Amino acid sequence: MKEKIVTYRYWLGGGAVIFCCIIFCVYRLIFLKPILSEQPQEEWYAATSTSEAAVQESSFEEEQVYVDVKGAVAVPGIYEVSSEMRVWDVLEMAGGLTESADEKQINLSQRLEDQMVIYVPEEGEEIISAVDEVNKTNNSQSGKIDLNTADEQALMTLSGIGEKKAQEIIKYREENGRFSSIEELSDISGIGEKTFEKLRDSIFVS
C-alpha cells in the first residue's frame, strides 16, 4: 500500500512539472513572440525612413546645372556642376585661370545657376555681357529695375535705397542665388514693409 502511495506521488509530481512546462511554453508563444517579431519591423522601418530622407536630401543638394565658362581660363567650355558650387569651383574644373586673367573683376564666391555665363577678363579688359546689355534695354523700356541683374549704381536709383542697402541686396543675391519674387526683397535686413511698398512698382525679377 505504501509503495502505491509513493508511486502515485512520483507520478503526481512529474505531471505537475510537465504541466508547468506546457504553460510556460504556451506563454512564450503567445506573449513573447509578437514582441520579438515587432522589433525587427520597427528597426527596418526606422532604417528605411532614414535612407529615404538621406536620398531626398542628397538629390536636393546635388541638383545638376550647366554653366558656360569663357575668357581667360585654361579650358573654356560648358560644364555640368552642382547648384551648391561656387564660381571658384567651376574655374578649377576649367583648369584654373591663365596668367593674364584679372580675377578682381569676377565674384569667385558667387553661387552657380543653370545657364550661367562666367566670363573671366584679361588684365586691362572690361567685362561686356550681352545678357546685361539686353537686361538694361528691357529695364529702360519698362522703367523698372531687375533685382537679379542690377548693379550697385542701378539699385541706388530706387527710392529709399542708398549705398549700404544696395550692397546688402547684392550680397543677398550672391549668397542665396537669384530672387524668385520681388517679395523676397523684404527678407533683407533694413528693408521693411513700408520701404518695400514704395519699391513695388519700380522693381521686377527676370
Side-chain angles (χ1 to χ4, degrees), residues 31-59:
F31 295 99
L32 296 182
K33 185 176 180 180
I35 295 175
L36 293 175
S37 62
E38 287 176 3
Q39 291 179 347
Q41 293 179 359
E42 293 174 354
E43 293 175 358
W44 175 84
Y45 178 78
T48 303
S49 301
T50 303
S51 299
E52 291 178 352
V55 170
Q56 292 177 356
E57 181 180 356
S58 176
S59 61

PDB file of all heavy atoms in Angstrom, residues 31-59:
ATOM      1  N   PHE A  31       2.803  35.463 -25.895  1.00  0.00           N
ATOM      2  CA  PHE A  31       3.122  36.814 -25.458  1.00  0.00           C
ATOM      3  C   PHE A  31       4.500  37.310 -25.919  1.00  0.00           C
ATOM      4  O   PHE A  31       4.660  38.464 -26.263  1.00  0.00           O
ATOM      5  CB  PHE A  31       3.043  36.918 -23.925  1.00  0.00           C
ATOM      6  CG  PHE A  31       1.641  36.708 -23.399  1.00  0.00           C
ATOM      7  CD1 PHE A  31       1.260  35.480 -22.893  1.00  0.00           C
ATOM      8  CD2 PHE A  31       0.715  37.735 -23.452  1.00  0.00           C
ATOM      9  CE1 PHE A  31      -0.022  35.288 -22.410  1.00  0.00           C
ATOM     10  CE2 PHE A  31      -0.566  37.546 -22.969  1.00  0.00           C
ATOM     11  CZ  PHE A  31      -0.948  36.315 -22.453  1.00  0.00           C
ATOM     12  N   LEU A  32       5.497  36.465 -25.904  1.00  0.00           N
ATOM     13  CA  LEU A  32       6.858  36.914 -26.224  1.00  0.00           C
ATOM     14  C   LEU A  32       7.126  37.001 -27.712  1.00  0.00           C
ATOM     15  O   LEU A  32       7.821  37.885 -28.176  1.00  0.00           O
ATOM     16  CB  LEU A  32       7.896  35.982 -25.571  1.00  0.00           C
ATOM     17  CG  LEU A  32       7.898  35.969 -24.037  1.00  0.00           C
ATOM     18  CD1 LEU A  32       9.001  35.058 -23.526  1.00  0.00           C
ATOM     19  CD2 LEU A  32       8.086  37.370 -23.488  1.00  0.00           C
ATOM     20  N   LYS A  33       6.566  36.094 -28.519  1.00  0.00           N
ATOM     21  CA  LYS A  33       6.857  36.054 -29.946  1.00  0.00           C
ATOM     22  C   LYS A  33       6.433  37.330 -30.666  1.00  0.00           C
ATOM     23  O   LYS A  33       7.179  37.872 -31.473  1.00  0.00           O
ATOM     24  CB  LYS A  33       6.193  34.834 -30.583  1.00  0.00           C
ATOM     25  CG  LYS A  33       6.557  34.673 -32.060  1.00  0.00           C
ATOM     26  CD  LYS A  33       5.969  33.396 -32.622  1.00  0.00           C
ATOM     27  CE  LYS A  33       6.343  33.246 -34.091  1.00  0.00           C
ATOM     28  NZ  LYS A  33       5.791  32.024 -34.671  1.00  0.00           N
ATOM     29  N   PRO A  34       5.190  37.860 -30.405  1.00  0.00           N
ATOM     30  CA  PRO A  34       4.832  39.115 -31.074  1.00  0.00           C
ATOM     31  C   PRO A  34       5.771  40.260 -30.756  1.00  0.00           C
ATOM     32  O   PRO A  34       6.089  41.076 -31.602  1.00  0.00           O
ATOM     33  CB  PRO A  34       3.419  39.388 -30.543  1.00  0.00           C
ATOM     34  CG  PRO A  34       2.904  38.057 -30.134  1.00  0.00           C
ATOM     35  CD  PRO A  34       4.093  37.317 -29.615  1.00  0.00           C
ATOM     36  N   ILE A  35       6.237  40.314 -29.493  1.00  0.00           N
ATOM     37  CA  ILE A  35       7.144  41.395 -29.107  1.00  0.00           C
ATOM     38  C   ILE A  35       8.450  41.307 -29.863  1.00  0.00           C
ATOM     39  O   ILE A  35       8.975  42.278 -30.386  1.00  0.00           O
ATOM     40  CB  ILE A  35       7.406  41.359 -27.584  1.00  0.00           C
ATOM     41  CG1 ILE A  35       6.104  41.638 -26.833  1.00  0.00           C
ATOM     42  CG2 ILE A  35       8.472  42.369 -27.182  1.00  0.00           C
ATOM     43  CD1 ILE A  35       6.232  41.505 -25.334  1.00  0.00           C
ATOM     44  N   LEU A  36       8.977  40.076 -29.936  1.00  0.00           N
ATOM     45  CA  LEU A  36      10.243  39.878 -30.631  1.00  0.00           C
ATOM     46  C   LEU A  36      10.107  40.135 -32.111  1.00  0.00           C
ATOM     47  O   LEU A  36      11.021  40.648 -32.757  1.00  0.00           O
ATOM     48  CB  LEU A  36      10.755  38.439 -30.384  1.00  0.00           C
ATOM     49  CG  LEU A  36      11.158  38.125 -28.936  1.00  0.00           C
ATOM     50  CD1 LEU A  36      11.513  36.643 -28.809  1.00  0.00           C
ATOM     51  CD2 LEU A  36      12.315  39.003 -28.491  1.00  0.00           C
ATOM     52  N   SER A  37       8.976  39.764 -32.695  1.00  0.00           N
ATOM     53  CA  SER A  37       8.791  39.924 -34.134  1.00  0.00           C
ATOM     54  C   SER A  37       8.564  41.381 -34.521  1.00  0.00           C
ATOM     55  O   SER A  37       8.826  41.779 -35.638  1.00  0.00           O
ATOM     56  CB  SER A  37       7.598  39.081 -34.606  1.00  0.00           C
ATOM     57  OG  SER A  37       6.400  39.517 -33.991  1.00  0.00           O
ATOM     58  N   GLU A  38       8.091  42.201 -33.557  1.00  0.00           N
ATOM     59  CA  GLU A  38       7.841  43.585 -33.857  1.00  0.00           C
ATOM     60  C   GLU A  38       9.130  44.404 -33.882  1.00  0.00           C
ATOM     61  O   GLU A  38       9.242  45.374 -34.614  1.00  0.00           O
ATOM     62  CB  GLU A  38       6.896  44.195 -32.813  1.00  0.00           C
ATOM     63  CG  GLU A  38       5.460  43.711 -32.959  1.00  0.00           C
ATOM     64  CD  GLU A  38       4.571  44.261 -31.858  1.00  0.00           C
ATOM     65  OE1 GLU A  38       5.091  45.052 -31.038  1.00  0.00           O
ATOM     66  OE2 GLU A  38       3.391  43.889 -31.826  1.00  0.00           O
ATOM     67  N   GLN A  39      10.113  43.989 -33.123  1.00  0.00           N
ATOM     68  CA  GLN A  39      11.349  44.769 -33.041  1.00  0.00           C
ATOM     69  C   GLN A  39      12.065  44.870 -34.385  1.00  0.00           C
ATOM     70  O   GLN A  39      12.439  45.972 -34.786  1.00  0.00           O
ATOM     71  CB  GLN A  39      12.264  44.176 -31.973  1.00  0.00           C
ATOM     72  CG  GLN A  39      11.716  44.375 -30.558  1.00  0.00           C
ATOM     73  CD  GLN A  39      12.620  43.764 -29.510  1.00  0.00           C
ATOM     74  OE1 GLN A  39      13.518  43.004 -29.847  1.00  0.00           O
ATOM     75  NE2 GLN A  39      12.378  44.093 -28.262  1.00  0.00           N
ATOM     76  N   PRO A  40      12.263  43.801 -35.131  1.00  0.00           N
ATOM     77  CA  PRO A  40      12.933  43.936 -36.425  1.00  0.00           C
ATOM     78  C   PRO A  40      12.144  44.814 -37.387  1.00  0.00           C
ATOM     79  O   PRO A  40      12.721  45.556 -38.171  1.00  0.00           O
ATOM     80  CB  PRO A  40      13.016  42.486 -36.928  1.00  0.00           C
ATOM     81  CG  PRO A  40      12.931  41.655 -35.697  1.00  0.00           C
ATOM     82  CD  PRO A  40      12.022  42.401 -34.781  1.00  0.00           C
ATOM     83  N   GLN A  41      10.787  44.767 -37.333  1.00  0.00           N
ATOM     84  CA  GLN A  41       9.991  45.587 -38.220  1.00  0.00           C
ATOM     85  C   GLN A  41      10.175  47.059 -37.909  1.00  0.00           C
ATOM     86  O   GLN A  41      10.293  47.892 -38.810  1.00  0.00           O
ATOM     87  CB  GLN A  41       8.509  45.210 -38.092  1.00  0.00           C
ATOM     88  CG  GLN A  41       8.194  43.801 -38.598  1.00  0.00           C
ATOM     89  CD  GLN A  41       6.726  43.464 -38.427  1.00  0.00           C
ATOM     90  OE1 GLN A  41       5.964  44.264 -37.913  1.00  0.00           O
ATOM     91  NE2 GLN A  41       6.345  42.280 -38.864  1.00  0.00           N
ATOM     92  N   GLU A  42      10.215  47.390 -36.592  1.00  0.00           N
ATOM     93  CA  GLU A  42      10.426  48.773 -36.212  1.00  0.00           C
ATOM     94  C   GLU A  42      11.804  49.253 -36.643  1.00  0.00           C
ATOM     95  O   GLU A  42      11.973  50.367 -37.144  1.00  0.00           O
ATOM     96  CB  GLU A  42      10.268  48.931 -34.697  1.00  0.00           C
ATOM     97  CG  GLU A  42       8.840  48.688 -34.208  1.00  0.00           C
ATOM     98  CD  GLU A  42       8.738  48.717 -32.697  1.00  0.00           C
ATOM     99  OE1 GLU A  42       9.795  48.818 -32.049  1.00  0.00           O
ATOM    100  OE2 GLU A  42       7.619  48.631 -32.186  1.00  0.00           O
ATOM    101  N   GLU A  43      12.808  48.391 -36.465  1.00  0.00           N
ATOM    102  CA  GLU A  43      14.159  48.752 -36.873  1.00  0.00           C
ATOM    103  C   GLU A  43      14.228  48.926 -38.384  1.00  0.00           C
ATOM    104  O   GLU A  43      14.875  49.840 -38.885  1.00  0.00           O
ATOM    105  CB  GLU A  43      15.141  47.676 -36.415  1.00  0.00           C
ATOM    106  CG  GLU A  43      15.281  47.598 -34.902  1.00  0.00           C
ATOM    107  CD  GLU A  43      16.168  46.445 -34.471  1.00  0.00           C
ATOM    108  OE1 GLU A  43      16.635  45.703 -35.356  1.00  0.00           O
ATOM    109  OE2 GLU A  43      16.382  46.278 -33.272  1.00  0.00           O
ATOM    110  N   TRP A  44      13.554  48.042 -39.121  1.00  0.00           N
ATOM    111  CA  TRP A  44      13.565  48.139 -40.587  1.00  0.00           C
ATOM    112  C   TRP A  44      12.885  49.419 -41.048  1.00  0.00           C
ATOM    113  O   TRP A  44      13.358  50.105 -41.944  1.00  0.00           O
ATOM    114  CB  TRP A  44      12.839  46.927 -41.169  1.00  0.00           C
ATOM    115  CG  TRP A  44      12.701  47.009 -42.670  1.00  0.00           C
ATOM    116  CD1 TRP A  44      13.609  46.643 -43.610  1.00  0.00           C
ATOM    117  CD2 TRP A  44      11.568  47.515 -43.394  1.00  0.00           C
ATOM    118  NE1 TRP A  44      13.127  46.886 -44.860  1.00  0.00           N
ATOM    119  CE2 TRP A  44      11.872  47.415 -44.758  1.00  0.00           C
ATOM    120  CE3 TRP A  44      10.348  48.021 -43.009  1.00  0.00           C
ATOM    121  CZ2 TRP A  44      10.979  47.817 -45.744  1.00  0.00           C
ATOM    122  CZ3 TRP A  44       9.455  48.424 -43.991  1.00  0.00           C
ATOM    123  CH2 TRP A  44       9.774  48.314 -45.342  1.00  0.00           C
ATOM    124  N   TYR A  45      11.753  49.757 -40.384  1.00  0.00           N
ATOM    125  CA  TYR A  45      11.038  50.970 -40.755  1.00  0.00           C
ATOM    126  C   TYR A  45      11.895  52.208 -40.490  1.00  0.00           C
ATOM    127  O   TYR A  45      11.957  53.131 -41.301  1.00  0.00           O
ATOM    128  CB  TYR A  45       9.732  51.058 -39.963  1.00  0.00           C
ATOM    129  CG  TYR A  45       8.950  52.316 -40.246  1.00  0.00           C
ATOM    130  CD1 TYR A  45       8.195  52.438 -41.412  1.00  0.00           C
ATOM    131  CD2 TYR A  45       8.987  53.388 -39.355  1.00  0.00           C
ATOM    132  CE1 TYR A  45       7.486  53.594 -41.676  1.00  0.00           C
ATOM    133  CE2 TYR A  45       8.275  54.542 -39.620  1.00  0.00           C
ATOM    134  CZ  TYR A  45       7.513  54.640 -40.776  1.00  0.00           C
ATOM    135  OH  TYR A  45       6.822  55.789 -41.027  1.00  0.00           O
ATOM    136  N   ALA A  46      12.567  52.219 -39.332  1.00  0.00           N
ATOM    137  CA  ALA A  46      13.429  53.366 -38.997  1.00  0.00           C
ATOM    138  C   ALA A  46      14.571  53.489 -39.997  1.00  0.00           C
ATOM    139  O   ALA A  46      14.911  54.580 -40.441  1.00  0.00           O
ATOM    140  CB  ALA A  46      13.976  53.207 -37.576  1.00  0.00           C
ATOM    141  N   ALA A  47      15.164  52.351 -40.353  1.00  0.00           N
ATOM    142  CA  ALA A  47      16.278  52.367 -41.306  1.00  0.00           C
ATOM    143  C   ALA A  47      15.805  52.829 -42.673  1.00  0.00           C
ATOM    144  O   ALA A  47      16.487  53.596 -43.363  1.00  0.00           O
ATOM    145  CB  ALA A  47      16.901  50.970 -41.411  1.00  0.00           C
ATOM    146  N   THR A  48      14.609  52.362 -43.093  1.00  0.00           N
ATOM    147  CA  THR A  48      14.066  52.751 -44.388  1.00  0.00           C
ATOM    148  C   THR A  48      13.775  54.243 -44.432  1.00  0.00           C
ATOM    149  O   THR A  48      14.077  54.927 -45.416  1.00  0.00           O
ATOM    150  CB  THR A  48      12.774  51.963 -44.685  1.00  0.00           C
ATOM    151  OG1 THR A  48      13.056  50.570 -44.632  1.00  0.00           O
ATOM    152  CG2 THR A  48      12.227  52.323 -46.062  1.00  0.00           C
ATOM    153  N   SER A  49      13.175  54.770 -43.351  1.00  0.00           N
ATOM    154  CA  SER A  49      12.860  56.191 -43.287  1.00  0.00           C
ATOM    155  C   SER A  49      14.122  57.032 -43.366  1.00  0.00           C
ATOM    156  O   SER A  49      14.179  58.046 -44.055  1.00  0.00           O
ATOM    157  CB  SER A  49      12.101  56.509 -41.995  1.00  0.00           C
ATOM    158  OG  SER A  49      10.894  55.766 -41.931  1.00  0.00           O
ATOM    159  N   THR A  50      15.146  56.601 -42.645  1.00  0.00           N
ATOM    160  CA  THR A  50      16.419  57.328 -42.659  1.00  0.00           C
ATOM    161  C   THR A  50      17.042  57.322 -44.050  1.00  0.00           C
ATOM    162  O   THR A  50      17.555  58.332 -44.525  1.00  0.00           O
ATOM    163  CB  THR A  50      17.404  56.700 -41.653  1.00  0.00           C
ATOM    164  OG1 THR A  50      16.806  56.708 -40.351  1.00  0.00           O
ATOM    165  CG2 THR A  50      18.714  57.490 -41.626  1.00  0.00           C
ATOM    166  N   SER A  51      16.983  56.174 -44.729  1.00  0.00           N
ATOM    167  CA  SER A  51      17.557  56.053 -46.074  1.00  0.00           C
ATOM    168  C   SER A  51      16.825  56.948 -47.056  1.00  0.00           C
ATOM    169  O   SER A  51      17.441  57.622 -47.879  1.00  0.00           O
ATOM    170  CB  SER A  51      17.500  54.596 -46.546  1.00  0.00           C
ATOM    171  OG  SER A  51      18.241  53.767 -45.680  1.00  0.00           O
ATOM    172  N   GLU A  52      15.477  56.946 -46.977  1.00  0.00           N
ATOM    173  CA  GLU A  52      14.705  57.776 -47.892  1.00  0.00           C
ATOM    174  C   GLU A  52      14.998  59.248 -47.669  1.00  0.00           C
ATOM    175  O   GLU A  52      15.125  60.021 -48.619  1.00  0.00           O
ATOM    176  CB  GLU A  52      13.209  57.506 -47.699  1.00  0.00           C
ATOM    177  CG  GLU A  52      12.776  56.115 -48.176  1.00  0.00           C
ATOM    178  CD  GLU A  52      11.296  55.867 -47.913  1.00  0.00           C
ATOM    179  OE1 GLU A  52      10.680  56.723 -47.236  1.00  0.00           O
ATOM    180  OE2 GLU A  52      10.770  54.856 -48.393  1.00  0.00           O
ATOM    181  N   ALA A  53      15.104  59.647 -46.398  1.00  0.00           N
ATOM    182  CA  ALA A  53      15.409  61.049 -46.093  1.00  0.00           C
ATOM    183  C   ALA A  53      16.781  61.427 -46.631  1.00  0.00           C
ATOM    184  O   ALA A  53      16.972  62.522 -47.160  1.00  0.00           O
ATOM    185  CB  ALA A  53      15.357  61.288 -44.579  1.00  0.00           C
ATOM    186  N   ALA A  54      17.735  60.513 -46.499  1.00  0.00           N
ATOM    187  CA  ALA A  54      19.094  60.787 -46.983  1.00  0.00           C
ATOM    188  C   ALA A  54      19.112  60.933 -48.496  1.00  0.00           C
ATOM    189  O   ALA A  54      19.796  61.795 -49.038  1.00  0.00           O
ATOM    190  CB  ALA A  54      20.042  59.662 -46.544  1.00  0.00           C
ATOM    191  N   VAL A  55      18.337  60.073 -49.188  1.00  0.00           N
ATOM    192  CA  VAL A  55      18.287  60.127 -50.649  1.00  0.00           C
ATOM    193  C   VAL A  55      17.659  61.436 -51.103  1.00  0.00           C
ATOM    194  O   VAL A  55      18.132  62.085 -52.034  1.00  0.00           O
ATOM    195  CB  VAL A  55      17.488  58.924 -51.205  1.00  0.00           C
ATOM    196  CG1 VAL A  55      17.228  59.110 -52.692  1.00  0.00           C
ATOM    197  CG2 VAL A  55      18.249  57.633 -50.961  1.00  0.00           C
ATOM    198  N   GLN A  56      16.553  61.857 -50.442  1.00  0.00           N
ATOM    199  CA  GLN A  56      15.895  63.091 -50.804  1.00  0.00           C
ATOM    200  C   GLN A  56      16.810  64.281 -50.575  1.00  0.00           C
ATOM    201  O   GLN A  56      16.904  65.185 -51.405  1.00  0.00           O
ATOM    202  CB  GLN A  56      14.605  63.253 -49.990  1.00  0.00           C
ATOM    203  CG  GLN A  56      13.530  62.232 -50.363  1.00  0.00           C
ATOM    204  CD  GLN A  56      12.303  62.365 -49.488  1.00  0.00           C
ATOM    205  OE1 GLN A  56      12.283  63.168 -48.557  1.00  0.00           O
ATOM    206  NE2 GLN A  56      11.281  61.590 -49.793  1.00  0.00           N
ATOM    207  N   GLU A  57      17.503  64.292 -49.433  1.00  0.00           N
ATOM    208  CA  GLU A  57      18.421  65.386 -49.132  1.00  0.00           C
ATOM    209  C   GLU A  57      19.554  65.419 -50.138  1.00  0.00           C
ATOM    210  O   GLU A  57      19.961  66.466 -50.614  1.00  0.00           O
ATOM    211  CB  GLU A  57      18.963  65.233 -47.718  1.00  0.00           C
ATOM    212  CG  GLU A  57      19.906  66.356 -47.307  1.00  0.00           C
ATOM    213  CD  GLU A  57      20.422  66.182 -45.898  1.00  0.00           C
ATOM    214  OE1 GLU A  57      19.984  65.227 -45.216  1.00  0.00           O
ATOM    215  OE2 GLU A  57      21.240  67.010 -45.469  1.00  0.00           O
ATOM    216  N   SER A  58      20.068  64.233 -50.473  1.00  0.00           N
ATOM    217  CA  SER A  58      21.174  64.160 -51.420  1.00  0.00           C
ATOM    218  C   SER A  58      20.769  64.653 -52.791  1.00  0.00           C
ATOM    219  O   SER A  58      21.502  65.385 -53.455  1.00  0.00           O
ATOM    220  CB  SER A  58      21.682  62.710 -51.502  1.00  0.00           C
ATOM    221  OG  SER A  58      22.690  62.597 -52.476  1.00  0.00           O
ATOM    222  N   SER A  59      19.549  64.244 -53.250  1.00  0.00           N
ATOM    223  CA  SER A  59      19.090  64.644 -54.574  1.00  0.00           C
ATOM    224  C   SER A  59      18.869  66.149 -54.632  1.00  0.00           C
ATOM    225  O   SER A  59      19.081  66.780 -55.667  1.00  0.00           O
ATOM    226  CB  SER A  59      17.801  63.896 -54.932  1.00  0.00           C
ATOM    227  OG  SER A  59      16.769  64.207 -54.012  1.00  0.00           O
TER     228      SER A  59
END
